[in-house]
């Protein structure tokens, strides 16, 4: 009878508390995050389009960058649309399956992006420290393999953690002190001991960190040494400009994500702000950083706009001639 009562009391949906319960603040947040989301979509779609259209950008660096833009689109789209919906409605609920699905794709996008950032760090190391053999070592087949491995690692970590969520029973409070279904805020709501899930998540984060961070630290330590050995200040500035954008992205992503997953879940406002940084803001900043600090991307974008203007002018001329 106790078991029957236990299972009938299991909750079937969660309530995402979000960032604020004040209606006026929610309206302001809706406008703010709608603008951020639209800029994220436009910026990353433009990056993907420019890289795909311009043959001069068909290099390993921009191959990785195109996949990073796609990941940023996925990362932001997993959480922001639901957040925007909750800002406008009183019902902030999400079904249990919907919550688990959101956490699966959130972990998949985050894990894959961490692996891809480390691959991009190694690509910059090979380009600056070994320029003579760079094109032979970092070729397109190898890039495809690296991206595939990144997706496979992210999928495996996400799948394992999502499968073990099914072993938890939620029968108490269904209020998640967060704006999305990340894994840490879910564990305190379980009526069963989530120690196995917490250990699995910690091991997954440690595995991901040990897999990616040493490669990033090694790559950039060698890159900095190589830049310092360049005699001309102009050469140093050009080499540093090539890598500073990627280093900025890495610091933004890893710094906030490590802080979030190393510290215990408490449901504080600071945790939600940190989560916004690596899941929403970073996806917005990535295309801006790479486009504003990269002369090749600027030139490619200008060429694409000129081609569009020429095509538009040509079409108008054809229409005028046909009318005559």
């Amino acid at each position: 009878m106790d078991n029957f009562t236990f299972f009938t009391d299991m909750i079937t949906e969660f309530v995402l508390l979000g960032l604020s319960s004040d209606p006026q603040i929610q309206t302001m947040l809706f406008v703010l995050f709608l603008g951020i989301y639209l800029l994220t979509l436009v910026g990353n779609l433009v990056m993907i389009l420019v890289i795909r259209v311009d043959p001069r950008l068909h290099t390993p660096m921009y191959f990785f960058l195109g996949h990073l833009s796609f990941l940023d689109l996925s990362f932001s789209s997993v959480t922001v649309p639901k957040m925007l919906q909750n800002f406008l409605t009183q019902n902030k609920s999400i079904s249990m399956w919907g919550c688990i699905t959101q956490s699966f794709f959130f972990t998949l996008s985050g894990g894959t992006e961490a692996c891809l950032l480390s691959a991009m760090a190694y690509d910059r190391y090979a380009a600056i420290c070994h320029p003579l053999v760079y094109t032979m070592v970092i070729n397109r087949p190898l890039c495809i393999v690296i991206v595939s491995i990144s997706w496979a690692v992210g999928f495996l970590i996400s799948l394992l953690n999502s499968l073990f969520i099914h072993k938890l029973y939620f029968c108490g409070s269904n209020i998640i002190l967060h704006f999305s279904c990340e894994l840490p805020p879910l564990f305190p709501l379980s009526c069963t001991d989530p120690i196995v899930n917490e250990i699995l998540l910690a091991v997954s984060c440690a595995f991901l960190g040990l897999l990616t961070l040493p490669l990033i630290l090694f790559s950039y330590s060698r890159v900095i040494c190589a830049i310092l050995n360049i005699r001309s200040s102009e050469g140093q500035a050009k080499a540093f400009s090539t890598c500073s954008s990627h280093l900025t992205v890495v610091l933004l992503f890893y710094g906030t994500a490590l802080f979030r997953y190393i510290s215990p879940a408490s449901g504080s406002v600071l945790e939600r702000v940190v989560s916004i940084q690596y899941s929403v803001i970073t996806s917005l900043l990535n295309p801006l950083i790479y486009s504003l600090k990269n002369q090749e991307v600027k030139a490619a974008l200008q060429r694409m706009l000129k081609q569009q203007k020429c095509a538009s002018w040509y079409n108008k001329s054809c229409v005028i001639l046909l009318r005559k």
Side-chain angles (χ1 to χ4, degrees):
M1 189 66 186
D2 291 338
N3 288 337
F4 177 77
T5 304
F6 179 77
F7 282 104
T8 54
D9 288 341
M10 286 182 59
I11 59 178
T12 58
E13 65 180 18
F14 296 102
V15 177
L16 295 171
L17 188 62
L19 299 175
S20 174
S21 58
D22 189 327
Q24 293 183 348
I25 296 178
Q26 286 185 353
T27 303
M28 294 172 58
L29 290 174
F30 172 80
V31 175
L32 174 63
F33 282 98
L34 177 62
I36 290 174
Y37 185 57
L38 292 177
L39 288 174
T40 301
L41 291 179
V42 172
N44 285 288
L45 285 174
V46 168
M47 286 296 297
I48 294 173
L49 180 62
V50 169
I51 291 171
R52 186 173 183 82
V53 169
D54 198 314
R56 301 182 189 183
L57 299 184
H58 293 175
T59 61
M61 174 183 172
Y62 295 104
F63 179 80
F64 292 135
L65 183 55
H67 282 272
L68 180 65
S69 295
F70 177 77
L71 275 171
D72 286 332
L73 283 175
S74 304
F75 213 172
S76 185
S77 298
V78 167
T79 57
V80 176
K82 182 61 179 176
M83 187 197 308
L84 293 175
Q85 178 188 351
N86 289 342
F87 284 144
L88 297 179
T89 60
Q90 295 294 328
N91 183 16
K92 305 179 186 302
S93 63
I94 182 172
S95 66
M96 179 177 291
W97 282 107
C99 194
I100 294 175
T101 302
Q102 189 183 68
S103 68
F104 172 82
F105 285 105
F106 188 92
T107 308
L108 170 62
S109 301
T112 306
E113 185 159 340
C115 295
L116 191 60
L117 288 174
S118 66
M120 293 175 70
Y122 181 78
D123 173 74
R124 291 300 85 207
Y125 156 73
I128 293 176
C129 298
H130 303 285
L132 298 178
V133 296
Y134 172 70
T135 55
M136 292 184 292
V137 175
I138 309 296
N139 50 37
R140 189 170 183 83
L142 179 61
C143 292
I144 294 174
V145 171
I146 291 174
V147 170
S148 301
I149 292 175
S150 300
W151 278 102
V153 171
F155 178 80
L156 181 62
I157 290 175
S158 181
L159 181 63
L160 287 175
N161 283 278
S162 297
L163 287 176
F164 273 81
I165 292 180
H166 292 282
K167 297 188 177 295
L168 299 179
Y169 296 102
F170 300 94
C171 58
S173 173
N174 67 337
I175 298 177
I176 299 177
L177 301 176
H178 207 53
F179 61 87
S180 65
C181 291
E182 282 191 65
L183 291 174
L186 285 176
F187 297 154
L189 302 181
S190 174
C191 296
T192 52
D193 190 3
I195 185 64
V196 176
N197 301 78
E198 292 173 350
I199 292 175
L200 178 61
L201 182 60
V203 171
S204 301
C205 293
F207 170 76
L208 195 60
L210 292 174
L211 183 67
T212 58
L213 276 177
L215 184 58
I216 291 174
L217 294 175
F218 167 78
S219 298
Y220 276 106
S221 63
R222 298 298 299 271
V223 165
I224 291 173
C225 292
I227 292 175
L228 293 177
N229 289 330
I230 298 176
R231 295 183 179 181
S232 65
S233 58
E234 184 179 351
Q236 286 184 347
K238 184 177 180 180
F240 183 75
S241 176
T242 305
C243 298
S244 60
S245 57
H246 181 249
L247 186 58
T248 303
V249 172
V250 169
L251 291 176
L252 287 173
F253 181 81
Y254 272 93
T256 52
L258 285 176
F259 174 80
R260 175 68 182 88
Y261 281 87
I262 288 176
S263 60
S266 61
S268 64
V269 177
L270 179 61
E271 286 185 353
R272 283 172 264 179
V273 172
V274 170
S275 296
I276 288 173
Q277 171 62 53
Y278 64 78
S279 63
V280 180
I281 303 300
T282 303
S283 299
L284 168 67
L285 293 179
N286 282 354
L288 296 177
I289 290 172
Y290 279 105
S291 60
L292 292 177
K293 300 193 68 175
N294 194 307
Q295 297 299 327
E296 292 180 346
V297 174
K298 289 181 183 179
L301 184 58
Q302 291 174 356
R303 287 193 295 269
M304 187 178 72
L305 292 175
K306 288 179 180 179
Q307 289 175 358
Q308 291 296 324
K309 288 181 180 179
C310 291
S312 177
W313 177 85
Y314 178 77
N315 291 332
K316 289 180 180 179
S317 300
C318 290
V319 170
I320 293 172
L321 290 173
L322 288 173
R323 286 179 179 177
K324 289 181 178 180

mmCIF file of all heavy atoms in Angstrom, residues 58-94:
data_model
loop_
_atom_site.group_PDB
_atom_site.id
_atom_site.type_symbol
_atom_site.label_atom_id
_atom_site.label_comp_id
_atom_site.label_asym_id
_atom_site.label_seq_id
_atom_site.Cartn_x
_atom_site.Cartn_y
_atom_site.Cartn_z
ATOM 1 N N HIS A 58 36.939 28.120 -46.957
ATOM 2 C CA HIS A 58 36.845 26.663 -46.870
ATOM 3 C C HIS A 58 38.169 26.089 -46.358
ATOM 4 O O HIS A 58 38.880 25.360 -47.056
ATOM 5 C CB HIS A 58 36.471 26.071 -48.236
ATOM 6 C CG HIS A 58 35.091 26.435 -48.669
ATOM 7 N ND1 HIS A 58 34.576 26.098 -49.906
ATOM 8 C CD2 HIS A 58 34.100 27.102 -48.031
ATOM 9 C CE1 HIS A 58 33.337 26.553 -50.003
ATOM 10 N NE2 HIS A 58 33.032 27.158 -48.879
ATOM 11 N N THR A 59 38.488 26.449 -45.131
ATOM 12 C CA THR A 59 39.709 26.000 -44.458
ATOM 13 C C THR A 59 39.328 25.327 -43.150
ATOM 14 O O THR A 59 38.186 25.481 -42.681
ATOM 15 C CB THR A 59 40.644 27.188 -44.189
ATOM 16 O OG1 THR A 59 39.965 28.126 -43.317
ATOM 17 C CG2 THR A 59 41.023 27.895 -45.486
ATOM 18 N N PRO A 60 40.247 24.565 -42.529
ATOM 19 C CA PRO A 60 39.908 23.892 -41.267
ATOM 20 C C PRO A 60 39.394 24.820 -40.181
ATOM 21 O O PRO A 60 38.441 24.488 -39.469
ATOM 22 C CB PRO A 60 41.231 23.242 -40.864
ATOM 23 C CG PRO A 60 41.938 23.007 -42.154
ATOM 24 C CD PRO A 60 41.572 24.163 -43.023
ATOM 25 N N MET A 61 40.016 25.999 -40.050
ATOM 26 C CA MET A 61 39.598 26.934 -39.004
ATOM 27 C C MET A 61 38.126 27.315 -39.152
ATOM 28 O O MET A 61 37.356 27.303 -38.180
ATOM 29 C CB MET A 61 40.476 28.189 -39.056
ATOM 30 C CG MET A 61 40.038 29.295 -38.117
ATOM 31 S SD MET A 61 41.061 30.769 -38.286
ATOM 32 C CE MET A 61 40.166 31.919 -37.249
ATOM 33 N N TYR A 62 37.714 27.641 -40.381
ATOM 34 C CA TYR A 62 36.337 28.061 -40.601
ATOM 35 C C TYR A 62 35.384 26.879 -40.691
ATOM 36 O O TYR A 62 34.173 27.045 -40.482
ATOM 37 C CB TYR A 62 36.273 28.942 -41.854
ATOM 38 C CG TYR A 62 37.023 30.233 -41.671
ATOM 39 C CD1 TYR A 62 38.273 30.427 -42.264
ATOM 40 C CD2 TYR A 62 36.520 31.239 -40.862
ATOM 41 C CE1 TYR A 62 38.972 31.603 -42.070
ATOM 42 C CE2 TYR A 62 37.217 32.413 -40.659
ATOM 43 C CZ TYR A 62 38.451 32.584 -41.262
ATOM 44 O OH TYR A 62 39.146 33.745 -41.051
ATOM 45 N N PHE A 63 35.904 25.714 -40.990
ATOM 46 C CA PHE A 63 35.083 24.502 -40.903
ATOM 47 C C PHE A 63 34.632 24.286 -39.453
ATOM 48 O O PHE A 63 33.457 24.031 -39.180
ATOM 49 C CB PHE A 63 35.889 23.307 -41.402
ATOM 50 C CG PHE A 63 35.146 21.999 -41.329
ATOM 51 C CD1 PHE A 63 34.217 21.652 -42.309
ATOM 52 C CD2 PHE A 63 35.371 21.111 -40.286
ATOM 53 C CE1 PHE A 63 33.528 20.445 -42.239
ATOM 54 C CE2 PHE A 63 34.695 19.907 -40.223
ATOM 55 C CZ PHE A 63 33.780 19.573 -41.196
ATOM 56 N N PHE A 64 35.576 24.410 -38.514
ATOM 57 C CA PHE A 64 35.233 24.298 -37.093
ATOM 58 C C PHE A 64 34.326 25.437 -36.658
ATOM 59 O O PHE A 64 33.389 25.241 -35.869
ATOM 60 C CB PHE A 64 36.505 24.298 -36.238
ATOM 61 C CG PHE A 64 37.355 23.073 -36.401
ATOM 62 C CD1 PHE A 64 38.732 23.179 -36.553
ATOM 63 C CD2 PHE A 64 36.795 21.804 -36.402
ATOM 64 C CE1 PHE A 64 39.519 22.055 -36.704
ATOM 65 C CE2 PHE A 64 37.576 20.665 -36.552
ATOM 66 C CZ PHE A 64 38.942 20.790 -36.704
ATOM 67 N N LEU A 65 34.599 26.635 -37.160
ATOM 68 C CA LEU A 65 33.812 27.795 -36.773
ATOM 69 C C LEU A 65 32.367 27.668 -37.238
ATOM 70 O O LEU A 65 31.435 28.080 -36.532
ATOM 71 C CB LEU A 65 34.446 29.065 -37.352
ATOM 72 C CG LEU A 65 33.787 30.399 -36.978
ATOM 73 C CD1 LEU A 65 33.696 30.543 -35.467
ATOM 74 C CD2 LEU A 65 34.564 31.548 -37.582
ATOM 75 N N GLY A 66 32.150 27.097 -38.420
ATOM 76 C CA GLY A 66 30.790 26.874 -38.898
ATOM 77 C C GLY A 66 30.025 25.922 -37.994
ATOM 78 O O GLY A 66 28.847 26.144 -37.691
ATOM 79 N N HIS A 67 30.696 24.857 -37.546
ATOM 80 C CA HIS A 67 30.042 23.920 -36.623
ATOM 81 C C HIS A 67 29.813 24.561 -35.251
ATOM 82 O O HIS A 67 28.819 24.265 -34.586
ATOM 83 C CB HIS A 67 30.888 22.654 -36.485
ATOM 84 C CG HIS A 67 30.748 21.716 -37.639
ATOM 85 N ND1 HIS A 67 29.771 20.741 -37.701
ATOM 86 C CD2 HIS A 67 31.445 21.617 -38.797
ATOM 87 C CE1 HIS A 67 29.882 20.075 -38.833
ATOM 88 N NE2 HIS A 67 30.881 20.577 -39.520
ATOM 89 N N LEU A 68 30.729 25.438 -34.833
ATOM 90 C CA LEU A 68 30.533 26.156 -33.573
ATOM 91 C C LEU A 68 29.302 27.056 -33.648
ATOM 92 O O LEU A 68 28.524 27.127 -32.688
ATOM 93 C CB LEU A 68 31.774 26.984 -33.242
ATOM 94 C CG LEU A 68 31.712 27.796 -31.946
ATOM 95 C CD1 LEU A 68 31.628 26.875 -30.729
ATOM 96 C CD2 LEU A 68 32.927 28.710 -31.820
ATOM 97 N N SER A 69 29.094 27.715 -34.780
ATOM 98 C CA SER A 69 27.908 28.561 -34.950
ATOM 99 C C SER A 69 26.636 27.717 -34.908
ATOM 100 O O SER A 69 25.629 28.140 -34.321
ATOM 101 C CB SER A 69 27.997 29.317 -36.282
ATOM 102 O OG SER A 69 29.075 30.223 -36.279
ATOM 103 N N PHE A 70 26.679 26.538 -35.514
ATOM 104 C CA PHE A 70 25.513 25.651 -35.455
ATOM 105 C C PHE A 70 25.240 25.215 -34.017
ATOM 106 O O PHE A 70 24.080 25.154 -33.575
ATOM 107 C CB PHE A 70 25.738 24.431 -36.351
ATOM 108 C CG PHE A 70 24.618 23.430 -36.290
ATOM 109 C CD1 PHE A 70 23.427 23.657 -36.964
ATOM 110 C CD2 PHE A 70 24.742 22.263 -35.550
ATOM 111 C CE1 PHE A 70 22.391 22.739 -36.910
ATOM 112 C CE2 PHE A 70 23.716 21.342 -35.484
ATOM 113 C CZ PHE A 70 22.533 21.582 -36.168
ATOM 114 N N LEU A 71 26.293 24.903 -33.271
ATOM 115 C CA LEU A 71 26.127 24.515 -31.871
ATOM 116 C C LEU A 71 25.559 25.653 -31.040
ATOM 117 O O LEU A 71 24.726 25.439 -30.152
ATOM 118 C CB LEU A 71 27.469 24.066 -31.290
ATOM 119 C CG LEU A 71 27.853 22.613 -31.517
ATOM 120 C CD1 LEU A 71 29.294 22.370 -31.080
ATOM 121 C CD2 LEU A 71 26.917 21.679 -30.755
ATOM 122 N N ASP A 72 26.010 26.869 -31.322
ATOM 123 C CA ASP A 72 25.482 28.025 -30.592
ATOM 124 C C ASP A 72 23.995 28.218 -30.872
ATOM 125 O O ASP A 72 23.224 28.575 -29.978
ATOM 126 C CB ASP A 72 26.261 29.286 -30.974
ATOM 127 C CG ASP A 72 27.644 29.314 -30.354
ATOM 128 O OD1 ASP A 72 27.827 28.723 -29.278
ATOM 129 O OD2 ASP A 72 28.556 29.923 -30.955
ATOM 130 N N LEU A 73 23.592 27.996 -32.116
ATOM 131 C CA LEU A 73 22.165 28.047 -32.436
ATOM 132 C C LEU A 73 21.386 26.999 -31.641
ATOM 133 O O LEU A 73 20.322 27.288 -31.074
ATOM 134 C CB LEU A 73 21.956 27.806 -33.932
ATOM 135 C CG LEU A 73 22.241 28.955 -34.895
ATOM 136 C CD1 LEU A 73 22.098 28.476 -36.327
ATOM 137 C CD2 LEU A 73 21.314 30.116 -34.646
ATOM 138 N N SER A 74 21.926 25.794 -31.576
ATOM 139 C CA SER A 74 21.258 24.714 -30.842
ATOM 140 C C SER A 74 21.225 25.006 -29.350
ATOM 141 O O SER A 74 20.196 24.833 -28.683
ATOM 142 C CB SER A 74 21.983 23.388 -31.104
ATOM 143 O OG SER A 74 22.060 23.104 -32.479
ATOM 144 N N PHE A 75 22.369 25.439 -28.810
ATOM 145 C CA PHE A 75 22.500 25.708 -27.384
ATOM 146 C C PHE A 75 21.467 26.739 -26.934
ATOM 147 O O PHE A 75 20.778 26.571 -25.920
ATOM 148 C CB PHE A 75 23.913 26.217 -27.094
ATOM 149 C CG PHE A 75 24.436 25.801 -25.753
ATOM 150 C CD1 PHE A 75 25.757 26.034 -25.417
ATOM 151 C CD2 PHE A 75 23.632 25.186 -24.805
ATOM 152 C CE1 PHE A 75 26.272 25.658 -24.188
ATOM 153 C CE2 PHE A 75 24.120 24.805 -23.575
ATOM 154 C CZ PHE A 75 25.441 25.047 -23.264
ATOM 155 N N SER A 76 21.365 27.818 -27.690
ATOM 156 C CA SER A 76 20.438 28.884 -27.332
ATOM 157 C C SER A 76 18.985 28.469 -27.544
ATOM 158 O O SER A 76 18.106 28.804 -26.743
ATOM 159 C CB SER A 76 20.755 30.141 -28.147
ATOM 160 O OG SER A 76 19.967 31.222 -27.755
ATOM 161 N N SER A 77 18.717 27.718 -28.612
ATOM 162 C CA SER A 77 17.340 27.332 -28.939
ATOM 163 C C SER A 77 16.781 26.285 -27.982
ATOM 164 O O SER A 77 15.561 26.086 -27.931
ATOM 165 C CB SER A 77 17.275 26.806 -30.375
ATOM 166 O OG SER A 77 17.649 27.807 -31.302
ATOM 167 N N VAL A 78 17.633 25.605 -27.252
ATOM 168 C CA VAL A 78 17.159 24.595 -26.304
ATOM 169 C C VAL A 78 16.415 25.236 -25.137
ATOM 170 O O VAL A 78 15.416 24.697 -24.647
ATOM 171 C CB VAL A 78 18.348 23.748 -25.789
ATOM 172 C CG1 VAL A 78 17.945 22.914 -24.583
ATOM 173 C CG2 VAL A 78 18.851 22.834 -26.899
ATOM 174 N N THR A 79 16.869 26.401 -24.687
ATOM 175 C CA THR A 79 16.332 26.996 -23.466
ATOM 176 C C THR A 79 15.571 28.305 -23.671
ATOM 177 O O THR A 79 14.562 28.547 -23.003
ATOM 178 C CB THR A 79 17.479 27.272 -22.467
ATOM 179 O OG1 THR A 79 18.449 28.118 -23.092
ATOM 180 C CG2 THR A 79 18.144 25.972 -22.051
ATOM 181 N N VAL A 80 16.035 29.155 -24.582
ATOM 182 C CA VAL A 80 15.484 30.512 -24.663
ATOM 183 C C VAL A 80 14.007 30.538 -25.082
ATOM 184 O O VAL A 80 13.221 31.288 -24.483
ATOM 185 C CB VAL A 80 16.335 31.385 -25.606
ATOM 186 C CG1 VAL A 80 15.708 32.771 -25.759
ATOM 187 C CG2 VAL A 80 17.742 31.523 -25.055
ATOM 188 N N PRO A 81 13.545 29.772 -26.094
ATOM 189 C CA PRO A 81 12.118 29.831 -26.445
ATOM 190 C C PRO A 81 11.186 29.503 -25.271
ATOM 191 O O PRO A 81 10.169 30.185 -25.085
ATOM 192 C CB PRO A 81 12.000 28.784 -27.564
ATOM 193 C CG PRO A 81 13.344 28.763 -28.196
ATOM 194 C CD PRO A 81 14.303 28.939 -27.062
ATOM 195 N N LYS A 82 11.527 28.488 -24.488
ATOM 196 C CA LYS A 82 10.709 28.157 -23.319
ATOM 197 C C LYS A 82 10.781 29.267 -22.281
ATOM 198 O O LYS A 82 9.780 29.590 -21.627
ATOM 199 C CB LYS A 82 11.191 26.828 -22.721
ATOM 200 C CG LYS A 82 10.381 26.357 -21.514
ATOM 201 C CD LYS A 82 8.931 26.113 -21.869
ATOM 202 C CE LYS A 82 8.143 25.626 -20.672
ATOM 203 N NZ LYS A 82 6.695 25.470 -20.974
ATOM 204 N N MET A 83 11.945 29.864 -22.112
ATOM 205 C CA MET A 83 12.089 30.973 -21.179
ATOM 206 C C MET A 83 11.208 32.148 -21.610
ATOM 207 O O MET A 83 10.532 32.767 -20.778
ATOM 208 C CB MET A 83 13.555 31.415 -21.116
ATOM 209 C CG MET A 83 13.843 32.467 -20.051
ATOM 210 S SD MET A 83 15.417 33.338 -20.297
ATOM 211 C CE MET A 83 16.535 31.966 -20.470
ATOM 212 N N LEU A 84 11.205 32.462 -22.906
ATOM 213 C CA LEU A 84 10.376 33.556 -23.416
ATOM 214 C C LEU A 84 8.895 33.263 -23.206
ATOM 215 O O LEU A 84 8.116 34.161 -22.865
ATOM 216 C CB LEU A 84 10.659 33.779 -24.899
ATOM 217 C CG LEU A 84 12.056 34.298 -25.260
ATOM 218 C CD1 LEU A 84 12.237 34.342 -26.770
ATOM 219 C CD2 LEU A 84 12.308 35.675 -24.663
ATOM 220 N N GLN A 85 8.497 32.027 -23.399
ATOM 221 C CA GLN A 85 7.095 31.643 -23.173
ATOM 222 C C GLN A 85 6.707 31.835 -21.716
ATOM 223 O O GLN A 85 5.618 32.348 -21.415
ATOM 224 C CB GLN A 85 6.884 30.186 -23.582
ATOM 225 C CG GLN A 85 5.458 29.693 -23.341
ATOM 226 C CD GLN A 85 5.313 28.202 -23.578
ATOM 227 O OE1 GLN A 85 6.214 27.549 -24.082
ATOM 228 N NE2 GLN A 85 4.171 27.668 -23.198
ATOM 229 N N ASN A 86 7.598 31.460 -20.812
ATOM 230 C CA ASN A 86 7.293 31.582 -19.382
ATOM 231 C C ASN A 86 7.213 33.038 -18.931
ATOM 232 O O ASN A 86 6.529 33.347 -17.953
ATOM 233 C CB ASN A 86 8.352 30.843 -18.563
ATOM 234 C CG ASN A 86 8.248 29.345 -18.702
ATOM 235 O OD1 ASN A 86 7.219 28.823 -19.129
ATOM 236 N ND2 ASN A 86 9.305 28.627 -18.371
ATOM 237 N N PHE A 87 7.918 33.930 -19.627
ATOM 238 C CA PHE A 87 7.829 35.345 -19.273
ATOM 239 C C PHE A 87 6.434 35.909 -19.540
ATOM 240 O O PHE A 87 6.021 36.876 -18.887
ATOM 241 C CB PHE A 87 8.852 36.155 -20.077
ATOM 242 C CG PHE A 87 10.262 36.017 -19.590
ATOM 243 C CD1 PHE A 87 11.321 36.008 -20.493
ATOM 244 C CD2 PHE A 87 10.546 35.889 -18.240
ATOM 245 C CE1 PHE A 87 12.630 35.884 -20.047
ATOM 246 C CE2 PHE A 87 11.848 35.756 -17.784
ATOM 247 C CZ PHE A 87 12.884 35.755 -18.693
ATOM 248 N N LEU A 88 5.706 35.321 -20.498
ATOM 249 C CA LEU A 88 4.417 35.870 -20.922
ATOM 250 C C LEU A 88 3.217 35.136 -20.347
ATOM 251 O O LEU A 88 2.087 35.599 -20.504
ATOM 252 C CB LEU A 88 4.320 35.858 -22.457
ATOM 253 C CG LEU A 88 5.340 36.724 -23.213
ATOM 254 C CD1 LEU A 88 5.125 36.582 -24.709
ATOM 255 C CD2 LEU A 88 5.242 38.180 -22.795
ATOM 256 N N THR A 89 3.414 33.993 -19.725
ATOM 257 C CA THR A 89 2.293 33.188 -19.232
ATOM 258 C C THR A 89 2.402 32.968 -17.734
ATOM 259 O O THR A 89 3.496 32.996 -17.148
ATOM 260 C CB THR A 89 2.254 31.821 -19.941
ATOM 261 O OG1 THR A 89 3.478 31.117 -19.690
ATOM 262 C CG2 THR A 89 2.064 31.996 -21.440
ATOM 263 N N GLN A 90 1.257 32.737 -17.114
ATOM 264 C CA GLN A 90 1.227 32.399 -15.693
ATOM 265 C C GLN A 90 1.610 30.940 -15.465
ATOM 266 O O GLN A 90 2.187 30.589 -14.435
ATOM 267 C CB GLN A 90 -0.174 32.663 -15.128
ATOM 268 C CG GLN A 90 -0.582 34.125 -15.142
ATOM 269 C CD GLN A 90 0.264 34.969 -14.224
ATOM 270 O OE1 GLN A 90 0.731 34.515 -13.177
ATOM 271 N NE2 GLN A 90 0.483 36.227 -14.614
ATOM 272 N N ASN A 91 1.261 30.092 -16.444
ATOM 273 C CA ASN A 91 1.584 28.671 -16.341
ATOM 274 C C ASN A 91 3.015 28.431 -16.822
ATOM 275 O O ASN A 91 3.295 28.478 -18.013
ATOM 276 C CB ASN A 91 0.598 27.853 -17.183
ATOM 277 C CG ASN A 91 0.844 26.364 -17.060
ATOM 278 O OD1 ASN A 91 1.541 25.901 -16.146
ATOM 279 N ND2 ASN A 91 0.286 25.603 -17.982
ATOM 280 N N LYS A 92 3.911 28.204 -15.897
ATOM 281 C CA LYS A 92 5.325 28.024 -16.220
ATOM 282 C C LYS A 92 5.740 26.554 -16.142
ATOM 283 O O LYS A 92 6.899 26.238 -15.893
ATOM 284 C CB LYS A 92 6.187 28.870 -15.278
ATOM 285 C CG LYS A 92 5.822 30.341 -15.277
ATOM 286 C CD LYS A 92 6.688 31.126 -14.326
ATOM 287 C CE LYS A 92 6.224 32.570 -14.215
ATOM 288 N NZ LYS A 92 6.220 33.266 -15.501
ATOM 289 N N SER A 93 4.782 25.678 -16.347
ATOM 290 C CA SER A 93 5.052 24.251 -16.188
ATOM 291 C C SER A 93 5.695 23.668 -17.439
ATOM 292 O O SER A 93 5.561 24.194 -18.542
ATOM 293 C CB SER A 93 3.753 23.503 -15.878
ATOM 294 O OG SER A 93 2.852 23.616 -16.961
ATOM 295 N N ILE A 94 6.390 22.570 -17.224
ATOM 296 C CA ILE A 94 6.969 21.780 -18.304
ATOM 297 C C ILE A 94 6.829 20.316 -17.903
ATOM 298 O O ILE A 94 7.031 19.959 -16.738
ATOM 299 C CB ILE A 94 8.448 22.159 -18.542
ATOM 300 C CG1 ILE A 94 9.023 21.346 -19.710
ATOM 301 C CG2 ILE A 94 9.285 21.995 -17.296
ATOM 302 C CD1 ILE A 94 10.430 21.805 -20.125
#
